[in-house]
Amino acid sequence: MITLDEQDNLIGVVVSKLEPHRGGPLRGYIAMLAVKEEHRGKGIATKLVRMAIDAMIERDAEEVVLETEVTNTAAMKLYERLGFLRSKRLHRYYLNGNTAYRLVLYLKEGTGYAQTEYGGHDDEQPQLPPLA
């Protein structure tokens, strides 16, 4: 999914996929999120991630995972605001030797589902914050 400005210049992109996890439930994966520096802070990244999550929910995903560098505080805040939880610390995960966190957003009960501030009752899917 991409975002373009008024002149059709690329300003943001999210790359994601959906596949069975270990032969079982469908797991979404966010592989990359990027927004041009001059367009950051306008909610574009949040909207792109929400669009990816919504597309995965429509296809019956049970969870969404991603990795981000432990030093990327802006990304951590973004994902945690959307309900992602820190699942694992991955020492020297990236080729540059940096450590990452694996983050997970549980969408359905029975897949490690965790109540987040955006969730409803135990029998409901978590509700993501509204788009700006």
Side-chain angles (χ1 to χ4, degrees), residues 2-131:
I2 62 171
T3 301
L4 305 173
D5 66 11
E6 298 80 25
Q7 292 79 36
D8 288 334
N9 297 310
L10 181 67
I11 58 173
V13 62
V14 63
V15 176
S16 61
K17 67 178 182 174
L18 181 64
E19 62 186 10
H21 178 61
R22 297 181 181 164
L26 287 176
R27 174 187 262 187
Y29 180 73
I30 296 178
M32 183 185 80
L33 172 67
V35 176
K36 283 190 172 183
E37 193 168 346
E38 61 268 23
H39 294 281
R40 293 179 187 167
K42 299 176 182 176
I44 294 168
T46 300
K47 187 170 185 175
L48 285 167
V49 172
R50 285 287 311 276
M51 290 169 60
I53 293 169
D54 289 347
M56 291 181 221
I57 289 171
E58 287 177 18
R59 291 167 180 83
D60 208 29
E62 296 196 7
E63 62 187 29
V64 179
V65 298
L66 59 91
E67 294 85 22
T68 191
E69 287 191 26
V70 297
T71 58
N72 191 343
T73 55
M76 293 295 299
K77 287 179 185 177
L78 165 74
Y79 295 124
E80 288 176 345
R81 260 195 333 267
L82 289 172
F84 282 83
L85 303 171
R86 294 178 194 188
S87 167
K88 192 181 288 186
R89 188 179 177 105
L90 305 167
H91 183 66
R92 299 181 55 95
Y93 178 77
Y94 292 103
L95 292 176
N96 63 6
N98 288 351
T99 299
Y101 282 120
R102 174 160 299 136
L103 303 177
V104 61
L105 175 65
Y106 297 109
L107 301 172
K108 294 184 177 179
E109 192 171 358
T111 57
Y113 176 81
Q115 180 80 17
T116 69
E117 66 181 287
Y118 303 116
H121 301 291
D122 288 342
D123 60 345
E124 295 179 355
Q125 285 189 347
Q127 298 298 307
L128 297 171
L131 292 172

